[in-house]
Amino acid sequence: MNKTIRGSRFRTRFNAVILSVSREGKRVLGKPIDITFRMGDTLWLEASYQLEEQYRFLSGFPAGQRLK
């Protein structure tokens, strides 16, 4: 925690793009890449089906609704 999205290399590690960050039920304003992660943040991702399959067993990666 306490790393920016850019500093965490999220896109490279998970092959997913963070579209938006929500904290305490409210959207965090600013460019997602410059936002610093905090515990409890909700990330809105664009990712492949493989990401969901790979991480679905982790409580930190709850599966959201898939849009088609």
Side-chain angles (χ1 to χ4, degrees), residues 6 15 23 35 38 42 49 51-53:
R6 183 188 320 264
N15 195 27
R23 184 175 294 143
I35 294 171
R38 292 191 191 161
T42 300
Y49 178 74
L51 180 82
E52 179 185 347
E53 287 298 307

Side-chain angles (χ1 to χ4, degrees), residues 21-39:
V21 178
S22 181
R23 184 175 294 143
E24 297 177 3
K26 296 180 182 174
R27 183 174 177 210
V28 178
L29 300 177
K31 292 181 182 179
I33 198 160
D34 295 324
I35 294 171
T36 300
F37 286 123
R38 292 191 191 161
M39 281 294 230

Side-chain angles (χ1 to χ4, degrees), residues 22 44 61:
S22 181
W44 297 94
F61 284 89

